[in-house]
Amino acid sequence: MSQPFDLSQFPDLPPEVVKAFEAAQSELSVERAARQHEQAVVAEKSAFITELKALIAKLESQVQDYRRTKFGPKSEKLDPAQLELALEDLETAIAETQEQIAVAEEKVAASATDPETKTSRKPRKSRALPDHLPRVERVIEPDSITCPCGCGDMVRIGEDRAERLDYIPARYQVIATIRPKYACPKGRTGVVQAKAPAHLLEGSWPTEALLAQVAVSKHSEHMPLNRQAVVMARHGVPIDRSVLADWMGRTGALIEPVVEHMAKALIQGSTRLYVDETTAPVLDPGRGKTKTGYLWAVLRDERGWNGPAPPGVVFHYRPGRKGAYADEILTGFNGTIQVDAYGGYTHLAKPDRKGGKPLKLAFCWAHGRRKLIKAKPKKGSPIVDEALVRIAALYNVEDAIRGSEPDHRRAVRQNLSRPLVDEFFTWLAAQAARISRKSELGEALAYMLRRQDGFRLFLDDGRVDMDSNLVENAIRSPAMNRRNALFAGHDDGGRSWARFASLIGTCKMNGVEPYAYLRDLFTKLANGHLDKDIDALMPWAYAEASHPSQ
């Protein structure tokens, strides 16, 4: 860099020359500073662009992972609860990266030297919040509405409205019930006092509303009691976990008659049921380890064929998976059950069935499809691809007749689906003859071929569906509870899980808010409604009472 010229070495220069020289030097300094500033801005903008490109690449990778997790073949192998947790974390990561990209874009725009090229952040797409939520309006007025032209106050010509979702933290309160006593001032009569209100848990602190909240938090939001105790302590209510467990245990015993009645209603009022089972690990105190119990789900849902009975699901806890448990649970039921091809159901279709007449077993096409996908080699398989296309054609027919009357469903299936099914199994047998039976794909093909009668059953009965996905969806909630709580502490704890899961699951199927239903149920049980009209305590009865016009 050149050294600045020193005028002191030339004291005899004319004043006008000195002035001209100083002006030129000043102009050069300004130009140099502007050039240095522009170079700094360009360098800063380049750094921002580099950062933005890295964030975009990161987002593209995250989106690819999300799609692979949700739609890729691995999603067929994940437990639904695990899949939901994985997607939750991926969606969180994507949102974080999108926010970082927005911030980086603002930095790039702010570094632009031309004001006209600067752009503000694009507003998020507005979403409508539910109408039933209470609204608190906050009007923000300008500091002054006096018109600069002197004509007086400005006139309101419109407004901008933006809605945000707020939260009011939970508040615990103590309800002190006071019952004054009255007596004759002259002592001639006895004492008069109002009767004490009935409580579900006599002699205990919780109201029916609090019991409902604890039950829903555990069995619907899957928050174990120890975590609830931590939350309550944070709000200034130090209730020990063992106390909460005592409340839930006593409440679980009181709702047992309601759940048993609901189980009988499903079996006695149906000709077709969905049945499935899921593990329920239970602590085995004698060994200090867990043993594997099972929640057997029995579900009724006639909405697919516009049936009159309301939907419902009941979970039955049993210490094992033997077929005898299924027979015991379904005692008195005669009809069709929609199941996977687990061998424990096979004896239910035999003449020597103990619980009633032989049942018809309608097998699940979704299970067959999954087995084919699982057996697909990494390099691909045209056989699996062709099978999936053929099965998809059957589901297209089902989509078109869902909700129709049984006779119409059967007629359409006979006309459209039966030829497709006949062709499918003829084609499947031809492919199986070409493939080793010991291979994974060969076993998948044989799985469906050996069970043709069960897979074909939906063709002849409009009340039967192609799969048992409805009961699999119902099982997800107890499965999530199992994931968070790890295991039940006792067989009785498993039975308590089953009862609450039955009531909450049936609430969800009928569009009933579980907390509101349980609070109402506990209040009615406290007041002896169980002996008056148990049918009115069913979740579907609560739905009808809450929405009589629907």
Side-chain angles (χ1 to χ4, degrees):
M1 180 182 292
S2 60
Q3 297 293 327
F5 190 78
D6 188 4
L7 290 178
S8 61
Q9 299 177 7
F10 303 93
D12 299 329
L13 288 175
E16 58 271 17
V17 174
V18 173
K19 280 186 177 181
F21 184 82
E22 289 178 345
Q25 285 288 91
S26 176
E27 185 176 347
L28 287 174
S29 297
V30 171
E31 182 180 352
R32 187 182 302 111
R35 185 165 56 252
Q36 291 175 346
H37 173 71
E38 184 176 355
Q39 291 173 348
V41 169
V42 171
E44 182 182 35
K45 187 173 183 179
S46 298
F48 289 154
I49 292 175
T50 301
E51 178 186 359
L52 181 60
K53 288 180 178 179
L55 288 171
I56 292 175
K58 179 182 177 182
L59 178 62
E60 290 174 346
S61 176
Q62 289 173 338
V63 171
Q64 186 177 3
D65 290 341
Y66 178 86
R67 290 173 176 169
R68 187 184 302 113
T69 302
K70 186 173 183 179
F71 304 111
K74 289 186 178 180
S75 64
E76 292 287 344
K77 303 175 183 178
L78 281 176
D79 178 87
Q82 294 174 327
L83 177 60
E84 288 181 7
L85 290 174
L87 294 179
E88 174 184 311
D89 289 338
L90 280 169
E91 289 162 350
T92 301
I94 288 172
E96 179 182 346
T97 304
Q98 288 175 331
E99 181 65 20
Q100 292 172 342
I101 288 176
V103 172
E105 287 177 339
E106 287 183 348
K107 291 179 180 178
V108 172
S111 64
T113 54
D114 184 358
E116 295 183 359
T117 63
K118 296 183 179 181
T119 58
S120 59
R121 178 187 290 203
K122 295 180 181 179
R124 279 178 169 267
K125 185 178 180 181
S126 60
R127 299 179 182 178
L129 291 168
D131 293 334
H132 65 82
L133 293 177
R135 257 67 175 178
V136 177
E137 292 191 349
R138 181 179 61 178
V139 180
I140 304 176
E141 296 283 1
D143 294 336
S144 174
I145 58 172
T146 302
C147 185
C149 77
C151 66
D153 289 344
M154 293 183 173
V155 179
R156 182 169 177 171
I157 60 172
E159 65 180 20
D160 289 330
R161 177 180 289 263
E163 293 189 341
R164 301 173 67 200
L165 188 62
D166 194 19
Y167 170 70
I168 300 175
R171 186 188 67 175
Y172 293 90
Q173 62 183 9
V174 176
I175 297 179
T177 302
I178 302 171
R179 297 185 296 130
K181 295 180 180 181
Y182 295 91
C184 174
K186 297 182 180 181
R188 295 174 181 173
T189 59
V191 177
V192 176
Q193 185 181 32
K195 185 180 180 180
H199 300 147
L200 185 64
L201 301 184
E202 294 293 350
S204 295
W205 285 340
T207 63
E208 288 67 39
L210 179 56
L211 290 173
Q213 176 61 32
V214 174
V216 169
S217 295
K218 178 176 181 179
H219 298 282
S220 182
E221 277 74 62
H222 320 296
M223 184 182 292
L225 296 181
N226 63 321
R227 298 183 194 173
Q228 291 193 52
V230 171
V231 174
M232 295 178 75
R234 181 164 56 84
H235 287 284
V237 186
I239 302 294
D240 193 76
R241 174 200 53 77
S242 62
V243 176
L244 297 178
D246 176 74
W247 295 352
M248 287 295 96
R250 294 160 64 191
T251 304
L254 294 172
I255 65 175
E256 181 180 6
V258 178
V259 178
E260 288 183 350
H261 186 78
M262 188 164 66
K264 292 178 181 177
L266 295 185
I267 288 178
Q268 295 174 356
S270 308
T271 58
R272 183 214 56 174
L273 294 171
Y274 299 84
V275 183
D276 202 356
E277 74 289 333
T278 186
T279 57
V282 175
L283 184 63
D284 189 353
R287 298 189 304 158
K289 300 179 180 179
T290 58
K291 60 182 180 180
T292 303
Y294 283 85
L295 291 179
W296 295 73
V298 177
L299 181 142
R300 176 181 69 191
D301 193 337
E302 299 180 352
R303 290 174 291 184
W305 53 273
N306 199 25
V313 60
V314 173
F315 295 91
H316 303 259
Y317 173 78
R318 292 296 185 273
R321 199 188 182 196
K322 295 187 299 185
Y325 293 130
D327 201 1
E328 174 189 330
I329 292 168
L330 294 171
T331 296
F333 174 73
N334 297 305
T336 302
I337 56 173
Q338 301 225 218
V339 295
D340 56 27
Y342 167 53
Y345 300 114
T346 304
H347 77 285
L348 299 178
K350 296 181 179 179
D352 60 349
R353 180 198 169 204
K354 296 179 180 180
K357 298 178 182 178
L359 300 179
K360 294 180 180 178
L361 307 184
F363 291 142
C364 176
W365 280 80
H367 275 79
R369 180 179 180 275
R370 289 179 201 141
K371 285 190 173 293
L372 290 170
I373 293 175
K374 184 178 180 180
K376 184 177 181 179
K378 292 183 179 179
K379 62 181 179 180
S381 169
I383 294 177
V384 173
D385 294 340
E386 175 69 15
L388 296 182
V389 170
R390 290 174 179 267
I391 294 174
L394 291 171
Y395 272 102
N396 288 337
V397 177
E398 292 301 300
D399 290 340
I401 60 176
R402 185 168 291 111
S404 301
E405 298 295 328
D407 290 342
H408 175 69
R409 282 159 60 96
R410 182 182 182 279
V412 172
R413 287 169 174 173
Q414 291 291 321
N415 185 37
L416 299 179
S417 299
R418 181 174 290 279
L420 296 177
V421 172
D422 291 340
E423 292 175 6
F424 174 78
F425 281 108
T426 300
W427 173 83
L428 205 66
Q431 306 310 311
R434 300 168 43 207
I435 296 177
S436 170
R437 295 183 180 181
K438 296 182 179 180
S439 67
E440 195 170 0
L441 181 56
E443 292 177 355
L445 300 179
Y447 170 87
M448 298 195 72
L449 286 171
R450 288 197 304 266
R451 298 167 175 82
Q452 283 193 54
D453 292 342
F455 283 114
R456 290 176 176 272
L457 192 59
F458 81 101
L459 298 170
D460 300 316
D461 190 342
R463 294 174 175 82
V464 175
D465 286 334
M466 267 188 69
D467 55 47
S468 56
N469 285 347
L470 288 174
V471 70
E472 289 188 5
N473 292 338
I475 285 178
R476 289 184 180 182
S477 184
M480 182 67 78
N481 201 43
R482 173 189 65 210
R483 177 181 178 85
N484 286 351
L486 300 182
F487 53 83
H490 192 272
D491 285 335
D492 287 337
R495 282 184 276 272
S496 181
W497 273 18
R499 293 186 197 117
F500 283 107
S502 301
L503 294 177
I504 291 174
T506 302
C507 280
K508 293 178 179 179
M509 293 181 70
N510 286 275
V512 172
E513 204 285 304
Y515 167 77
Y517 166 75
L518 289 181
R519 182 184 58 186
D520 181 76
L521 173 66
F522 296 164
T523 302
K524 289 179 177 178
L525 289 176
N527 288 280
H529 201 90
L530 183 65
D531 299 326
K532 300 174 184 177
D533 186 5
I534 193 172
D535 288 323
L537 301 180
M538 300 296 104
W540 50 76
Y542 181 88
E544 293 175 0
S546 302
H547 308 286
S549 61
Q550 295 183 0

